[in-house]
Amino acid sequence: MIPTQWWLSAQRYLLNPKRAEESFTELLKRHPEPKTLLDYLNERRFILLLKLMDQSECIRKFLINHPEDFQRVIPGLWYVSKRKEDYLRELKNIVSDSLDDEKFSKSLAYYRHRELMRLLSKEILGTANLEDILREYSELPDAMLELAYSRAFREAVERYGEPKEENGKTASACIIALGKLGSYELNYYSDIDLMFIHSSDKGSAGKLTLVEFFHKVFQKLVSLMTTQTEEGKPYEVDLDLRPFGKSGPISMSLRSAELYYESYGRMWERFALLRARYSAGDEELFKTFDREVRQPFVFRKYVDYRVLEEIRLIKAQINAQAKSKLMNRTNVKTGEGGIRELEFMVQAMVILLGGKYPFLRESNTFRALWKLNQKGVFSDEEVKFLEKAYTFLRKLEHTIQLRNCLQTQSFSESEATQIAKLMGLEEKEFLSMFRTYTQKVSSMFYGILPAQEEQEIDPIMAVLLNGDADAGKEILSSLGFKNPTRAFNILLNYTQGTVGIGLSSEERKQLIKILPQMVNHIAKTPDPDETLNNLDKFFSNPTGRRVILSKSKEDFRLKLCKVFSLSSYLSTLISRNPDLVEDVLTLYQDYPEEEELEEEFEKYKEILSLSAENLFRRFKTVWEVRIALVYLLKQEDRYTKLEKFFNRLTLLADFLMKKLWEHLKIKDHSLVLYALGKYGSMELTIGSDLDLVFVGKSPSLEEIKLAQQMIKFITLHTSEGYLYKLDFRLRPMGSKGELLPSISFYRDYYERTARTWERIAWTRARFIVGDTALKEEFESILKDFLFGKPITEKERREIRDMRFALEGNAKKDKDVVDIKFGKGGLIDGEFLIQFYMLLEGIREPSMLKACRLLMSKHELLKEVYDIYLFLRLVETRHRLSKENAGSVLNSKDRQRVASSIGMNPEDFEEKLFESLRRMREIFLEVFD
């Protein structure tokens, strides 16, 4: 049937002669008229048929499934060269409107593989050079996209109505080819990179906007092109190069595209649009896009240093990826001296010189090489070498991809023999050619636009620049990140600007310099993941980015990382007000005095055009952040600076209450304002409420309204938030009591109604602002209420029972500790101190100062003082470390607090539980 000589001749070309023979036999079995094929074959055609089935698994399957196609397609191979219009003419005989979507896609996939078989045959037989074959193959998707677009557009019009612009003109759209499809160099097994634009957003299609209409058109087009069928997929479609990438709309109007590239377009997008060309749809629309958007964006008449720096950064990224090693594999595309380096050299020169020399505006690598040669960029010897190198590497890439019909570009040492044979070479010859080409390409790549200072890229920066997620996760995991995938994606966004992070060339240069240092700082913090999360909040703000990427000293960023590691609450505040960080780290390095607050408040009033409500809120936020940053960064004894922290937060609140009193003109009335609770004891911490009480001489309706006005001013939520949260539960009759009781009411209430717990609460009462004569009168009444009657056994029992009742408010979930309401918590300590204050007649609202006064007489209060201070430290660090934190700590909270105060988690747990246990012991010793 087949001459033995043919078999013998074929075997020297085949990797697997036995499988090729089996495939040929199977093909004949399936052929409806095998004799016609046998009659068609000669030795050359027979060897070609076996080579096709031996070199490519997908072509082997195609030929077995369509056994007549070889003899139908191959004749005329020497001179047949198809363009888009030829493909369209043939496709219209294969597909029709009557086909359903799946059969339509199946027909496209069939035709794609049939034409791939034809073009691969041309390459095997050498009937055309690689450049021409790639161009011919690149016009095949154009034809398919034209048909798919026509179908999708027609169906959308039938369903929704014709798309009309504002002026009544029919709206149109086009498909733009990018990547290798755009430069007419499409790989045999490659995605097709596309971008879609439509003529206008202003108009409608029935009830749909034009944006919605074209979204549906292109969704359908993508579905038709990517549906998996019995014949495979027509093509994989990649839309990631479109404006805003994956997060962007599937289609964008011409005007929106123009605005995008003007405002956000980055250097890598100039490389992407260099290869943009018309593929399908409205060609006139593409011509407008090319003239008004693409050419002005890609080609600049004058090249400034920033453009060179941007290109250097892209070069560094390619370099980093080239040096990343696959597991015992060589990457033909991204490896050193590979396809990407060669293409980059050509594209970079075209972009740099194309503005001045329109002749050079060429996206096809083969043609661009010779144009650059004519302009003297590459010598005759260099351009001939680069053309040969590019042809060799692209053929090698095709050989690798065709074997299993996968988009891959790497091979292992063990595969070299087979690949060499498929390329018609001996293994040694193949490896020698590969080394020669890649080494020289790599050398030329390094020589083009040499970096101003060549230095080794840090490993974390290298994996970020080349987007190597696996290597990145491995590095971050070794640095202590518990969720390295999330951490890598956050950092990748900084370097590649995928979600709202757009950097100038100078900023990118600075980022590459400092990011490894930042990552190392973050890795040394107790919870790197939380620290990075807080950095991300800050860096996502454009002002925050400017602060981090400024030419500041390294110590500045080190301090910033400390803040991010210690306080999520503060990190959120400074992410909204990043400029405050520079203030604290440069100007405000100590706690403020009242004069400083006064001076700055006047500046705020003069400079900021804010309403009074927002002025007060902005001022409070700014100074709360400054005070908290000083607290975290100041080198001082932990308890000394804790008390100063309380004091300054209280000073800030006092200052604002006095200013508000003045603003509302309450100072002209016989009223006073007192503070209770932590505010009264001058021990405010982050997130503390203000316990306020008003006292009036003989309140008028106007004065009651003024008090109400003040409350509303403080609690109103504006664009700047609220000023403070208020708590009125400690005033007479609690929250239901009068807002502004008279002084006679207080006198009567204290004598007749007030209970023991109110004596306890009012030990912290502190005058804030108001009529001084009324204050003196009220202080006399208050002193009599607190100390006029002795503390008897009855009061002692009431205090104890009240404390036990409050214990019912404690959180009792498994593994949580309530350091305020729980056994041995802060309330135990406060009740102890307040009890002795009443016993000894000490009028000192500060818990800490009162305890220090009492310690000399009551020895056990020394221990209470130490424990109370420790618990207040824990509470403060917890509130700083976590947004909306209270007094309840779970195990993770306790670990975070332990690390923030520099304690080993086990030692911290031991000290915390021992402190609570001992505080309860002392409480029971006094009250039982």
Side-chain angles (χ1 to χ4, degrees):
M1 187 163 54
I2 295 294
T4 305
Q5 184 56 43
W6 292 10
W7 285 108
L8 292 173
S9 298
Q11 282 184 11
R12 68 175 181 271
Y13 300 108
L14 305 177
L15 285 181
N16 193 334
K18 187 171 184 297
R19 183 168 168 75
E21 184 179 351
E22 290 169 353
S23 299
F24 179 70
T25 304
E26 178 71 15
L27 186 153
L28 286 176
K29 281 182 185 176
R30 294 198 179 201
H31 201 294
E33 296 181 58
K35 187 175 184 305
T36 59
L37 174 61
L38 293 170
D39 289 344
Y40 172 73
L41 293 177
N42 56 29
E43 182 175 354
R44 188 165 167 276
R45 291 169 184 165
F46 174 70
I47 292 171
L48 172 63
L49 178 57
L50 292 191
K51 273 187 172 184
L52 286 169
M53 293 192 286
D54 183 59
Q55 289 189 17
S56 174
E57 180 60 22
C58 51
I59 299 299
R60 187 188 75 82
K61 287 178 180 176
F62 174 82
L63 286 167
I64 289 171
N65 290 330
H66 304 280
E68 295 176 278
D69 275 18
F70 180 79
Q71 67 205 74
R72 287 174 180 169
V73 172
I74 299 306
L77 202 63
W78 290 97
Y79 57 85
V80 171
S81 179
K82 297 180 185 178
R83 305 300 294 266
K84 178 182 176 181
E85 54 270 24
D86 301 308
Y87 289 129
L88 274 171
R89 187 176 59 255
E90 291 183 3
L91 278 165
K92 285 175 182 175
N93 293 324
I94 295 173
V95 300
S96 67
D97 294 344
S98 61
L99 295 178
D100 63 27
D101 287 348
E102 187 176 351
K103 286 180 180 173
F104 179 87
S105 296
K106 180 181 175 183
S107 298
L108 295 186
Y110 157 77
Y111 188 73
R112 182 236 179 137
H113 285 97
R114 194 189 88 178
E115 291 305 297
L116 177 59
M117 182 264 289
R118 179 181 67 84
L119 289 164
L120 179 57
S121 299
K122 288 179 78 170
E123 185 175 334
I124 290 171
L125 293 174
T127 64
N129 63 35
L130 183 64
E131 181 186 348
D132 292 338
I133 289 172
L134 293 180
R135 182 181 181 92
E136 195 174 341
Y137 185 58
S138 298
E139 295 202 34
L140 174 59
D142 292 350
M144 292 186 176
L145 287 164
E146 194 73 72
L147 285 176
Y149 173 69
S150 297
R151 181 183 179 99
F153 184 83
R154 186 175 60 253
E155 287 182 6
V157 169
E158 288 170 2
R159 185 168 181 182
Y160 305 109
E162 192 172 0
K164 295 284 187 181
E165 295 180 19
E166 258 185 340
N167 57 11
K169 179 184 172 186
T170 300
S172 63
C174 74
I175 295 117
I176 298 172
L178 301 168
K180 283 193 166 66
L181 176 62
S183 60
Y184 291 108
E185 297 169 302
L186 188 64
N187 278 329
Y188 290 159
Y189 259 83
S190 175
D191 298 349
I192 52 174
D193 292 291
L194 302 176
M195 185 171 99
F196 308 129
I197 61 166
H198 52 270
S199 55
S200 175
D201 283 339
K202 295 178 180 178
S204 62
K207 294 181 179 179
L208 297 184
T209 64
L210 291 181
V211 174
E212 292 167 336
F213 177 83
F214 285 109
H215 178 85
K216 291 183 182 295
V217 169
F218 287 120
Q219 262 191 330
K220 180 65 180 282
L221 177 144
V222 171
S223 174
L224 291 172
M225 292 296 293
T226 58
T227 297
Q228 183 68 48
T229 73
E230 292 172 12
E231 298 286 350
K233 290 183 182 181
Y235 280 97
E236 286 286 357
V237 172
D238 190 335
L239 303 177
D240 288 358
L241 296 179
R242 71 185 190 268
F244 298 111
K246 286 187 175 73
S247 61
I250 192 170
S251 178
M252 185 176 270
S253 72
L254 179 66
R255 178 59 179 153
S256 296
E258 183 178 15
L259 290 172
Y260 171 83
Y261 288 111
E262 278 180 5
S263 306
Y264 303 104
R266 290 154 292 178
M267 178 52 71
W268 71 262
E269 288 174 298
R270 287 174 68 181
F271 277 82
L273 283 199
L274 171 65
R275 301 203 280 186
R277 67 166 177 84
Y278 169 74
S279 176
D282 182 355
E283 189 168 5
E284 287 305 312
L285 178 60
F286 174 79
K287 286 177 181 176
T288 305
F289 171 82
D290 186 51
R291 182 178 64 253
E292 296 180 4
V293 180
R294 176 183 171 268
Q295 299 228 26
F297 174 64
V298 176
F299 303 109
R300 310 286 171 86
K301 194 164 187 180
Y302 301 103
V303 178
D304 62 32
Y305 77 96
R306 287 174 298 180
V307 172
L308 292 171
E309 284 306 315
E310 285 274 8
I311 292 178
R312 281 194 178 98
L313 288 172
I314 294 174
K315 178 173 176 263
Q317 183 175 334
I318 294 169
N319 182 22
Q321 186 164 3
K323 290 187 175 181
S324 65
K325 299 293 182 186
L326 297 167
M327 289 293 290
N328 301 315
R329 298 186 71 81
T330 300
N331 195 304
V332 177
K333 179 179 178 180
T334 62
E336 290 188 86
I339 293 167
R340 181 171 290 173
E341 290 188 358
L342 194 154
E343 288 176 342
F344 173 81
M345 281 192 288
V346 175
Q347 291 164 11
M349 289 297 101
V350 169
I351 287 173
L352 285 172
L353 301 174
K356 189 174 181 182
Y357 304 108
F359 165 74
L360 289 176
R361 296 177 186 180
E362 175 61 65
S363 63
N364 180 271
T365 307
F366 290 102
R367 291 196 297 274
L369 276 169
W370 285 100
K371 287 186 176 185
L372 288 167
N373 165 253
Q374 288 180 54
K375 284 293 178 186
V377 175
F378 297 121
S379 67
D380 290 350
E381 183 185 345
E382 285 173 332
V383 76
K384 286 174 185 174
F385 166 80
L386 287 171
E387 184 181 50
K388 286 180 182 176
Y390 192 59
T391 301
F392 175 84
L393 292 171
R394 290 300 304 276
K395 283 188 173 183
L396 171 56
E397 184 180 37
H398 286 164
T399 302
I400 294 167
Q401 291 183 346
L402 281 165
R403 290 189 67 193
N404 295 302
C405 309
L406 295 172
Q407 190 180 354
T408 182
Q409 294 94 7
S410 63
F411 68 94
S412 65
E413 195 175 330
S414 61
E415 295 169 321
T417 305
Q418 295 178 328
I419 290 170
K421 189 167 187 177
L422 290 172
M423 293 184 73
L425 300 168
E426 293 295 326
E427 183 180 357
K428 284 184 180 178
E429 184 186 10
F430 161 69
L431 291 174
S432 173
M433 288 175 74
F434 180 76
R435 277 193 297 270
T436 300
Y437 286 132
T438 54
Q439 285 172 5
K440 188 164 181 183
V441 167
S442 179
S443 173
M444 292 178 73
F445 172 77
Y446 276 102
I448 199 163
L449 291 177
Q452 289 169 335
E453 44 185 61
E454 291 287 352
Q455 56 186 38
E456 194 69 25
I457 296 179
D458 184 276
I460 189 63
M461 202 66 243
V463 296
L464 287 168
L465 285 172
N466 64 42
D468 189 343
D470 292 335
K473 285 183 281 188
E474 190 177 328
I475 291 171
L476 291 168
S477 182
S478 71
L479 289 172
F481 287 86
K482 293 185 177 64
N483 190 342
T485 301
R486 184 173 183 278
F488 181 79
N489 289 334
I490 289 172
L491 296 170
L492 188 67
N493 187 38
Y494 299 164
T495 55
Q496 299 196 0
T498 48
V499 186
I501 304 289
L503 301 179
S504 68
S505 57
E506 276 301 304
E507 287 173 332
R508 270 179 62 80
K509 187 177 177 183
Q510 177 71 347
L511 178 72
I512 288 173
K513 182 180 175 183
I514 69 162
L515 193 58
Q517 300 165 343
M518 293 288 288
V519 171
N520 285 327
H521 291 330
I522 291 167
K524 290 171 184 173
T525 63
D527 187 346
D529 297 85
E530 183 68 18
T531 306
L532 179 59
N533 186 47
N534 289 331
L535 165 70
D536 189 45
K537 287 187 284 190
F538 189 81
F539 199 79
S540 296
N541 184 311
T543 307
R545 287 200 289 282
R546 180 184 58 76
V547 169
I548 287 179
L549 297 174
S550 63
K551 305 286 185 181
S552 308
K553 293 180 181 177
E554 179 57 23
D555 181 54
F556 180 91
R557 283 183 284 272
L558 186 60
K559 287 180 177 178
L560 254 185
C561 284
K562 183 176 179 182
V563 173
F564 296 142
S565 74
L566 293 175
S567 179
S568 288
Y569 172 82
L570 202 54
S571 296
T572 299
L573 284 179
I574 63 175
S575 70
R576 296 175 191 147
N577 307 274
D579 49 315
L580 298 180
V581 175
E582 286 182 302
D583 289 351
V584 173
L585 299 182
T586 53
L587 301 174
Y588 303 99
Q589 298 189 1
D590 209 340
Y591 293 112
E593 298 297 336
E594 190 165 0
E595 301 76 34
E596 197 173 0
L597 295 178
E598 182 69 51
E599 185 183 331
E600 186 128 344
F601 190 81
E602 290 307 311
K603 284 182 187 173
Y604 269 52
K605 283 204 300 187
E606 186 181 336
I607 296 168
L608 298 180
S609 54
L610 293 171
S611 65
E613 289 86 356
N614 283 333
L615 180 78
F616 273 73
R617 284 156 177 73
R618 177 77 62 86
F619 187 83
K620 183 248 185 175
T621 300
V622 166
W623 279 101
E624 186 176 71
V625 169
R626 286 173 179 166
I627 291 165
L629 286 171
V630 170
Y631 168 66
L632 288 175
L633 299 173
K634 194 173 175 64
Q635 297 298 313
E636 199 171 16
D637 171 73
R638 63 167 62 151
Y639 293 122
T640 304
K641 72 174 183 175
L642 180 68
E643 194 168 353
K644 285 183 182 177
F645 180 51
F646 293 158
N647 179 274
R648 287 310 190 274
L649 287 176
T650 306
L651 174 70
L652 175 62
D654 284 357
F655 175 80
L656 290 169
M657 292 305 105
K658 289 171 186 175
K659 281 293 175 187
L660 184 52
W661 197 266
E662 192 179 303
H663 172 74
L664 297 173
K665 298 183 170 54
I666 307 176
K667 63 187 180 67
D668 301 330
H669 297 267
S670 189
L671 302 178
V672 292
L673 180 68
Y674 266 75
L676 297 172
K678 283 193 175 76
Y679 185 28
S681 63
M682 295 195 71
E683 290 157 10
L684 283 181
T685 188
I686 288 293
S688 292
D689 299 345
L690 301 189
D691 291 279
L692 297 180
V693 289
F694 291 94
V695 184
K697 181 71 176 173
S698 181
S700 64
L701 184 59
E702 182 191 357
E703 288 171 339
I704 292 170
K705 285 183 177 178
L706 283 171
Q708 289 171 336
Q709 218 177 320
M710 183 167 182
I711 300 308
K712 184 179 178 182
F713 189 103
I714 295 169
T715 57
L716 180 70
H717 196 278
T718 74
S719 57
E720 298 278 339
Y722 52 81
L723 191 56
Y724 286 100
K725 289 181 180 177
L726 298 183
D727 191 340
F728 294 104
R729 288 174 295 181
L730 296 179
R731 72 187 183 197
M733 311 302 290
S735 297
K736 295 178 182 177
E738 290 181 31
L739 178 61
L740 179 53
S742 67
I743 193 161
S744 59
F745 172 87
Y746 276 104
R747 185 183 289 112
D748 184 64
Y749 182 82
Y750 287 153
E751 284 180 5
R752 299 171 184 274
T753 312
R755 291 150 290 178
T756 303
W757 74 262
E758 289 176 288
R759 285 179 76 182
I760 286 282
W762 280 84
T763 58
R764 291 169 126 176
R766 182 172 62 85
F767 171 75
I768 305 297
V769 65
D771 183 89
T772 51
L774 184 60
K775 176 226 172 183
E776 293 302 324
E777 188 179 349
F778 185 69
E779 278 290 335
S780 175
I781 295 169
L782 186 55
K783 191 172 181 182
D784 189 54
F785 168 57
L786 292 174
F787 310 118
K789 296 176 186 175
I791 295 292
T792 65
E793 186 59 32
K794 175 177 173 289
E795 281 78 28
R796 187 196 297 257
R797 281 198 308 273
E798 285 177 354
I799 294 170
R800 180 197 63 192
D801 294 343
M802 181 171 41
R803 170 60 186 114
F804 290 161
L806 287 171
E807 207 170 290
N809 295 329
K811 294 281 184 186
K812 296 183 176 65
D813 294 344
K814 187 181 178 184
D815 199 38
V816 301
V817 178
D818 191 330
I819 60 168
K820 180 178 180 181
F821 290 104
K823 292 180 181 179
L826 288 164
I827 292 178
D828 276 24
E830 286 164 1
F831 275 29
L832 280 163
I833 298 165
Q834 289 165 316
F835 169 72
Y836 281 107
M837 286 165 69
L838 292 174
L839 202 63
E840 299 296 338
I842 291 177
R843 179 76 178 97
E844 171 51 68
S846 165
M847 293 290 95
L848 295 171
K849 288 180 182 176
C851 196
R852 287 197 288 266
L853 289 171
L854 290 161
M855 282 189 319
S856 57
K857 187 172 181 182
H858 300 277
E859 189 76 20
L860 55 72
L861 288 182
K862 287 182 179 177
E863 205 172 346
V864 169
Y865 179 79
D866 291 339
I867 295 171
Y868 185 74
L869 255 183
F870 174 69
L871 293 178
R872 287 304 309 273
L873 175 68
V874 171
E875 177 194 44
T876 300
R877 287 306 179 101
H878 179 44
R879 287 185 178 224
L880 281 168
S881 71
K882 185 177 175 182
E883 292 177 53
N884 303 314
S887 59
V888 180
L889 290 83
N890 59 33
S891 58
K892 189 173 181 181
D893 296 331
R894 298 196 296 275
Q895 286 181 12
R896 194 182 286 117
V897 170
S899 65
S900 79
I901 58 178
M903 288 186 73
N904 176 284
E906 291 77 19
D907 294 343
F908 173 77
E909 291 268 315
E910 186 179 338
K911 179 166 183 176
L912 177 63
F913 287 111
E914 175 57 25
S915 297
L916 294 170
R917 185 195 66 77
R918 183 62 188 135
M919 182 73 92
R920 176 46 59 99
E921 271 185 3
I922 298 170
F923 182 85
L924 293 177
E925 188 180 327
V926 171
F927 288 101
D928 261 358

